Amino acid sequence: MDISTRKRNVKEFIEEWKDRGREKQDSQSFWLSLLRDVLGVEKPEEVIRFEEKVKLSHDSFIDAYIDQTHTMIEQKGANKDLDKAIKQSDGSLLTPYQQAFRYSIALPYSKRPRWIITCNFKEFRVYDMEYPNSEPTRIELKDLAENLHSLNFLIDKSVIRIQKQQQLSVDAGKLVSKMYSELLNIFSNYPDFDKEKVTHSINELCVRLVFCLYAEDSGLFDKTTAFYDYLKDVEPNKIGLKLKELFKVLNTKREDRNKNDAFWTAEHPTLDAFPYVNGGLFANTDIIIPPFTAKLKDILLNQASRGFNWKDISPTIFGAVFESTLNPETRRQKGMHYTSIENIHKVIDPLFLDDLKAELQQLQDKYKVRVVLVKSF
């Protein structure tokens, strides 16, 4: 399902269910629609099981369970408060989460859920049982479009962490594309510049800016607003010069910054917030940085710096962001292509990872233990 279709479908889903929610009559159609129309599952009825019997002191029933992601769902009507205890058939008073948790511990160990969701049509609460004492993630139906990534674990356990990063990478790519397009527009006013050097300069500048934005939000700079503070009061046509000065700082070890040199003593005091960055990213001084326009300053500072959080983006997507700044001909000539996480797994999973996962599952079932795999890429 493409992004535009998903966005349209989630809006329609919200509209359809905003005033509905009878526990018995609507629960199954609600979850089937969410899986099929919003999350893109072709045959949701083959993925989710309803009214699964669980043996307590009496027979009871789990509202819904998704085997492949070990997700248990406790569904209540729209008139139910998820914080309030509800009288059970055995006379006990339990909140929806306590009810689901009681079901969980009654299941065989290998069948216990990784995730418990309580829902009353108006709100989802997601409990991660790897962290049973932590607060649940709360998603209101009206805000589902903005928080849909928080439910991607429902359909594929391999995307628990990376789905949000992927969506963020798309949004980041759009910001980079805006900057790239505006830089191209600025350079169109300088037809005498060498075209190849202009292209290289734009590419390198965009990568450096992306690094600074990521470093700012990730705490790699001394202040989380260091980059924004450095440029916020600078006139647009002088930002290019200030960036060159910043790049010089980022390419100079702290001990080599001579405080007796006029450059270091006269510069903006926020330069002290920037560390030395090794690896040569800022070493090349032979790039052209044109005078910025007010539009480009707005994109860089208000939209990309203040308006976007880069810290949750996986470093692995920087290749995609970089690739997005290159024109197709440049990518073809240089053989430059970012390999996505999904495509990496298409190669390595059948080679050895699937067998290792199967072996791990056998050991878990045999010794009744759980192991959490953390991806390193």
Side-chain angles (χ1 to χ4, degrees):
M1 182 186 298
D2 60 61
I3 294 174
S4 60
T5 301
R6 174 178 279 203
K7 287 182 178 180
R8 182 180 66 252
N9 286 359
V10 72
K11 288 181 180 178
E12 292 176 354
F13 180 84
I14 293 169
E15 185 65 25
E16 179 181 356
W17 288 100
K18 67 179 182 180
D19 297 318
R20 294 175 57 188
R22 297 169 299 174
E23 181 176 342
K24 296 298 183 183
Q25 295 92 330
D26 295 329
S27 292
Q28 293 190 18
S29 56
F30 177 82
W31 283 96
L32 289 171
S33 178
L34 177 67
L35 291 171
R36 180 184 60 249
D37 304 325
V38 178
L39 295 175
V41 178
E42 290 187 5
K43 296 180 179 180
E45 64 278 1
E46 297 179 3
V47 171
I48 188 169
R49 293 184 284 112
F50 297 104
E51 299 297 323
E52 188 77 5
K53 182 183 291 187
V54 59
K55 188 71 175 177
L56 302 174
S57 59
H58 58 286
D59 285 343
S60 195
F61 296 88
I62 298 169
D63 289 333
Y65 199 96
I66 300 176
D67 287 304
Q68 69 177 18
T69 53
H70 292 272
T71 302
M72 179 184 291
I73 298 163
E74 181 60 33
Q75 182 68 41
K76 298 300 178 186
N79 61 333
K80 299 294 184 182
D81 187 332
L82 296 178
D83 289 316
K84 289 187 176 180
I86 302 170
K87 190 173 183 178
Q88 307 298 303
S89 58
D90 62 356
S92 59
L93 291 172
L94 300 174
T95 66
Y97 170 71
Q98 291 170 335
Q99 183 180 349
F101 185 76
R102 184 167 70 164
Y103 294 157
S104 172
I105 61 178
L107 293 173
Y109 199 91
S110 62
K111 301 295 185 182
R112 291 183 185 178
R114 162 68 191 272
W115 310 93
I116 290 177
I117 297 178
T118 62
C119 180
N120 62 359
F121 294 93
K122 297 180 294 185
E123 180 185 3
F124 302 84
R125 294 189 186 178
V126 181
Y127 298 82
D128 184 349
M129 302 314 292
E130 288 293 332
Y131 309 95
N133 296 320
S134 63
E135 289 295 312
T137 298
R138 299 173 183 237
I139 308 166
E140 292 190 31
L141 178 66
K142 64 182 179 63
D143 299 324
L144 183 59
E146 293 78 20
N147 296 283
L148 190 57
H149 58 266
S150 297
L151 293 180
N152 276 317
F153 69 88
L154 283 170
I155 57 173
D156 186 353
K157 59 187 175 183
S158 69
V159 299
I160 292 170
R161 177 173 54 89
I162 66 172
Q163 283 290 338
K164 181 179 180 180
Q165 295 171 344
Q166 289 176 331
Q167 181 57 51
L168 286 172
S169 75
V170 171
D171 296 336
K174 290 178 181 178
L175 287 171
V176 174
S177 179
K178 280 186 178 182
M179 288 190 284
Y180 188 89
S181 296
E182 184 60 17
L183 282 166
L184 276 178
N185 183 57
I186 294 170
F187 272 112
S188 68
N189 297 316
Y190 303 93
D192 294 335
F193 280 131
D194 179 75
K195 184 176 180 181
E196 184 174 346
K197 186 170 183 178
V198 165
T199 300
H200 178 79
S201 294
I202 295 177
N203 293 338
E204 188 164 353
L205 177 59
C206 284
V207 172
R208 290 183 182 188
L209 293 176
V210 167
F211 175 88
C212 289
L213 292 165
Y214 177 81
E216 179 180 50
D217 286 343
S218 301
L220 300 180
F221 295 157
D222 290 352
K223 287 179 59 181
T224 55
T225 57
F227 184 68
Y228 176 83
D229 289 345
Y230 177 65
L231 295 174
K232 65 179 181 179
D233 296 323
V234 179
E235 292 295 323
N237 63 351
K238 295 180 180 178
I239 285 180
L241 295 175
K242 301 298 283 186
L243 285 174
K244 284 193 173 183
E245 292 169 350
L246 173 61
F247 296 160
K248 178 179 178 179
V249 171
L250 292 170
N251 195 53
T252 305
K253 296 179 180 179
R254 288 188 184 274
E255 59 267 29
D256 294 335
R257 298 176 186 178
N258 185 354
K259 297 302 182 180
N260 296 318
D261 187 312
F263 172 78
W264 302 105
T265 56
E267 253 313 302
H268 198 293
T270 54
L271 279 175
D272 288 336
F274 298 101
Y276 166 64
V277 178
N278 61 12
L281 177 61
F282 299 97
N284 179 24
T285 60
D286 189 30
I287 68 170
I288 309 169
I289 305 179
F292 274 37
T293 59
K295 179 180 179 180
L296 184 54
K297 180 181 178 180
D298 176 70
I299 295 171
L300 177 61
L301 296 187
N302 295 326
Q303 298 180 41
S305 179
R306 293 185 68 187
F308 190 80
N309 191 343
W310 297 78
K311 72 179 179 65
D312 290 329
I313 293 181
S314 168
T316 60
I317 66 90
F318 281 134
V321 173
F322 175 60
E323 182 184 321
S324 73
T325 70
L326 303 176
N327 63 59
E329 182 61 22
T330 300
R331 292 201 301 267
R332 186 189 65 78
Q333 290 179 354
K334 302 293 185 181
M336 305 174 75
H337 180 70
Y338 169 72
T339 304
S340 69
I341 294 172
E342 292 82 357
N343 286 336
I344 291 172
H345 277 283
K346 286 178 182 178
V347 175
I348 68 171
D349 284 10
L351 285 177
F352 63 89
L353 202 55
D354 287 341
D355 290 339
L356 289 176
K357 287 179 179 178
E359 184 179 348
L360 176 63
Q361 186 62 54
Q362 290 174 356
L363 291 173
Q364 289 180 218
D365 294 342
K366 180 178 180 180
Y367 295 106
K368 307 300 182 184
V369 298
R370 295 183 71 181
V371 178
V372 180
L373 293 177
V374 179
K375 291 187 178 181
S376 59
F377 50 82

